[in-house]
């Protein structure tokens, strides 16, 4: 796969006097669309492995347990999320209903599903358990299952408002929710940072974790019959790609506008890492291949690299193994990493750290300095979708 072009970033960095002996991070102007990836640490002296060659429009690697962002590129770039937005839907709605509750689906529950949606095959007049509906969401990315659960939750409009509020609670300020299913809608955007936040929060719920790790499940087909559905997460099932050792989810997505999107989580040696990859330029499998490459890099680099930021810590008390705020490395609702030496950025400005290794441009952060993953202030009104 082609790598990120890095020569302009090298010349710029040379002009700024950034070298391997730098003791602290320097704040740089807000990046353009071609911004280099971000990471930290010094190759060789610190033993930091090189980042893989990537062509995704945005990506991020984080330590789930600490919330530390190990590396990222375009972390706050607003992009259509496709079905990865279902992680936010699940984190918002899943705690509302018991898994064994039953619901008889009506035609009204299935109204408004966008044409061309992925469907699990829910039929009006059939009774489903909440567990089966969530399996339809996580395994088959069924927009019909999403709309039934949203209807049970008081309707799509109410669910969208609650999802937006939940995103804001988490500090996911790049996200604008239009529909709970992640389908292409004008103005519906998220970012690699925000999607990683949603996985970070959701995986603290035991049911969320169990659903996204399920490879196959039987689903009602009507008339007392069932059919087996398989998870569409190829890194989990190994369909078409090599399954990733230790993978525990989380959610993949695809639309013609969003391209391929994926947030994955894997555990090795008692440590769990999160990776989000948005819209690689080449090949349907590239989103999985780049995720696997970033996970490999993360497991090698996690104890060697200086983090470039911190995910906002989810609030406690939302089910599963929630931990007290602070154990994830940032206060609840945090919207940025540690401030850079230059102080707060002007409103609307974003800053991203610079990257190490491979095709990435190089910045040495000796002495443990942090570069900020700066968040822009949430504008009033609706966002415009960026392709």
């Amino acid at each position: 796969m082609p790598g990120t072009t890095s020569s302009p970033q090298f010349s710029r960095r040379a002009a700024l006097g950034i070298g391997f002996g730098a003791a602290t991070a320097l704040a740089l102007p807000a990046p353009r669309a071609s911004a280099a990836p971000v990471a930290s640490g010094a190759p060789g002296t610190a033993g930091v492995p090189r980042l893989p060659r990537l062509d995704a429009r945005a990506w991020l690697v984080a330590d789930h347990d600490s919330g530390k962002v190990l590396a990222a590129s375009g972390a706050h770039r607003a992009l259509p999320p496709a079905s990865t937005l279902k992680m936010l839907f699940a984190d918002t709605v899943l705690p509302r209903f018991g898994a064994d509750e039953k619901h008889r689906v009506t035609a009204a529950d299935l109204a408004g599903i966008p044409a061309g949606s992925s469907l699990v095959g829910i039929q009006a007049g059939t009774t489903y358990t909440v567990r089966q509906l969530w399996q339809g969401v996580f395994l088959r990315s069924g927009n019909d299952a999403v709309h039934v659960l949203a209807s049970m939750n008081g309707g799509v409009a109410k669910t969208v408002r609650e999802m937006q509020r939940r995103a804001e609670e988490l500090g996911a300020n790049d996200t604008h929710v239009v529909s709970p299913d992640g389908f292409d809608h004008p103005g519906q955007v998220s970012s690699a940072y925000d999607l990683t936040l949603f996985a970070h929060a959701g995986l603290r719920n035991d049911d969320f974790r169990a659903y996204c790790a399920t490879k196959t499940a039987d689903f009602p087909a009507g008339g007392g019959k069932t059919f087996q559905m398989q998870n569409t997460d190829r890194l989990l099932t190994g369909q078409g790609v090599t399954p990733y050792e230790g993978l525990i989810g989380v959610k993949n997505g695809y639309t013609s506008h969003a391209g391929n999107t994926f947030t994955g989580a894997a555990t090795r040696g008692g440590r769990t890492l999160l990776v989000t990859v948005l819209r690689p330029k080449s090949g349907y499998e590239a989103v999985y291949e780049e995720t696997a490459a970033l996970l490999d890099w993360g497991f090698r680099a996690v104890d060697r690299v200086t983090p470039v930021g911190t995910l906002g810590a989810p609030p406690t008390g939302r089910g599963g193994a929630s931990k007290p705020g602070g154990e994830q490395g940032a206060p609840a609702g945090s919207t940025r990493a540690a401030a850079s030496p230059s102080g707060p950025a002007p409103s609307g400005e974003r800053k991203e750290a610079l990257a190490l290794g491979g095709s990435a441009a190089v910045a040495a952060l000796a002495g443990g300095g942090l570069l900020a993953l700066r968040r822009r202030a949430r504008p009033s009104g609706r966002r415009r979708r960026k392709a």
Side-chain angles (χ1 to χ4, degrees):
M1 280 176 277
T4 303
T5 302
S6 54
S7 56
Q9 299 295 336
F10 274 111
S11 61
R12 180 185 184 197
R13 205 155 296 117
L16 289 170
I18 298 177
F20 289 110
T24 58
L26 296 180
L28 299 181
R32 303 299 182 188
S34 59
V38 303
S40 59
T45 56
V48 178
R50 292 179 179 273
L51 283 162
R53 296 173 65 87
L54 306 167
D55 67 8
R57 295 193 70 186
W59 55 264
L60 185 144
V61 187
D63 183 341
H64 173 62
D65 298 314
S66 68
K68 299 299 184 182
V69 178
L70 307 181
S73 176
H76 300 294
R77 187 175 190 174
L79 294 167
S83 287
T84 50
L85 193 65
K86 289 181 171 77
M87 294 186 294
L88 175 61
F89 171 71
D91 183 59
T92 303
V93 177
L94 198 154
R96 310 283 172 84
F97 306 103
D100 294 323
E101 289 185 40
K102 295 181 179 181
H103 178 74
R104 183 177 175 85
V105 173
T106 67
D109 294 335
L110 300 173
I113 298 173
S117 288
S118 55
L119 304 172
V120 67
I122 291 176
Q123 302 175 26
T126 300
T127 298
Y128 301 85
T129 65
V130 167
R131 179 182 292 104
Q132 290 167 336
L133 294 172
W134 281 115
Q135 288 171 340
V137 172
F138 278 92
L139 275 68
R140 299 304 301 174
S141 205
N143 287 0
D144 47 357
V146 169
H147 279 253
V148 170
L149 287 161
S151 179
M152 293 171 62
N153 188 54
V156 167
K158 175 176 178 287
T159 300
V160 165
R161 290 194 299 271
E162 291 174 349
M163 289 172 64
Q164 190 67 61
R165 185 162 58 247
R166 176 61 175 154
E168 291 165 0
E169 289 174 359
L170 293 171
N173 294 337
D174 303 321
T175 297
H176 181 69
V177 183
V178 178
S179 176
D181 49 38
F183 199 80
D184 288 338
H185 294 278
Q188 182 150 273
V189 293
S190 191
S191 68
Y193 180 91
D194 286 8
L195 292 169
T196 308
L197 271 180
F198 303 151
H200 187 227
L203 287 171
R204 282 164 167 75
N205 182 294
D206 292 337
D207 290 334
F208 183 109
R209 181 181 283 255
Y211 288 133
C212 73
T214 300
K215 294 182 180 180
T216 62
D218 291 331
F219 196 81
K225 298 180 180 180
T226 62
F227 67 92
Q228 187 181 81
M229 55 183 175
Q230 185 180 52
N231 201 313
T232 57
D233 179 348
R234 297 187 175 206
L235 278 187
L236 185 68
T237 65
Q239 183 180 1
V241 298
T242 302
Y244 194 84
E245 179 185 352
L247 196 83
I248 56 175
V250 183
K251 192 70 190 74
N252 58 329
Y254 173 81
T255 66
S256 57
H257 186 55
N260 289 291
T261 62
F262 185 60
T263 296
T267 298
R268 287 185 182 176
R271 190 189 297 272
T272 299
L273 298 184
L274 301 167
V275 168
T276 294
V277 173
L278 300 179
R279 196 164 189 158
K281 297 176 184 176
S282 58
Y284 183 76
E285 312 297 357
V287 73
Y288 300 108
E289 294 165 352
E290 295 194 9
T291 296
L294 284 170
L295 284 168
D296 285 344
W297 176 86
F299 283 117
R300 293 194 306 270
V302 64
D303 291 321
R304 303 176 183 180
V305 71
T306 302
V308 297
T310 306
L311 297 173
T316 59
R318 292 188 60 84
S322 294
K323 298 180 181 180
E327 290 189 27
Q328 288 91 40
S334 172
T335 59
R336 64 179 63 193
S340 66
S342 65
S347 176
E349 182 175 309
R350 288 180 289 172
K351 295 187 192 299
E352 294 170 353
L354 301 169
L356 281 188
S359 61
V362 178
L365 300 183
L370 271 181
L371 277 178
L373 290 177
R374 291 203 176 252
R375 311 300 306 277
R376 64 171 174 260
R378 183 174 181 82
S380 60
R382 293 177 55 163
R383 290 183 182 271
R384 288 188 176 182
R385 177 173 53 181
K386 290 184 180 180

